[in-house]
Amino acid sequence: MKELFTTYVGEFLTMLTAVFGGWFYKRKKESVTNHNSSIDQGARAVNIYKEALEDLGICYEKKYKNIITLYESREELLRNEIMELKNKIKILRKENISLKRRIEDLKKQL
């Protein structure tokens, strides 16, 4: 009986040692694998942000060009409006002068 007990206990202790050794080795390997995967995920995140920033620059450049075009067309419209108003002022001054002369003529007739 003692012989049977020592045989099984020896095998049990061997099994426990093997399981512990496997667990210990696998734990280190899992730690390294998890660390590497977190580095890979960080690199992917950096690449995503990098692409987003590149796209953002292109998008802002397009918007900037659109705004420049818009302001240039707005400036042209305002310049045209200024020219029209200057011409209108000239016409009104001439009309004013002619009306003043007419008033003077009418005063003389009275």
Side-chain angles (χ1 to χ4, degrees):
M1 179 90 165
K2 189 175 186 182
E3 197 176 291
L4 185 66
F5 182 70
T6 55
T7 304
Y8 287 119
V9 168
E11 287 179 16
F12 181 72
L13 289 177
T14 304
M15 181 188 69
L16 282 178
T17 306
V19 167
F20 178 74
W23 170 79
F24 189 75
Y25 174 75
K26 192 154 183 125
R27 181 179 63 99
K28 289 285 188 180
K29 186 177 177 183
E30 289 284 329
S31 174
V32 169
T33 303
N34 288 341
H35 182 69
N36 288 342
S37 68
S38 68
I39 289 174
D40 290 340
Q41 289 173 354
R44 279 190 233 132
V46 167
N47 286 337
I48 289 170
Y49 284 121
K50 183 179 176 185
E51 289 173 9
L53 286 175
E54 288 172 357
D55 291 342
L56 187 64
I58 292 169
C59 183
Y60 276 130
E61 187 174 332
K62 287 179 184 177
K63 289 289 184 182
Y64 179 74
K65 287 180 181 179
N66 288 340
I67 288 173
I68 293 296
T69 305
L70 181 68
Y71 282 136
E72 286 174 352
S73 64
R74 179 74 176 154
E75 180 184 5
E76 183 68 27
L77 287 172
L78 290 173
R79 288 185 187 275
N80 290 339
E81 187 177 350
I82 288 170
M83 290 303 293
E84 288 175 15
L85 291 172
K86 282 182 179 181
N87 289 335
K88 192 172 184 178
I89 288 172
K90 285 180 185 178
I91 293 170
L92 290 173
R93 280 189 180 156
K94 287 179 183 178
E95 186 180 344
N96 191 13
I97 290 172
S98 71
L99 289 174
K100 281 183 181 180
R101 284 185 186 155
R102 180 147 188 225
I103 289 173
E104 298 240 349
D105 288 342
L106 290 173
K107 280 184 184 179
K108 287 180 183 178
Q109 287 180 0
L110 287 177

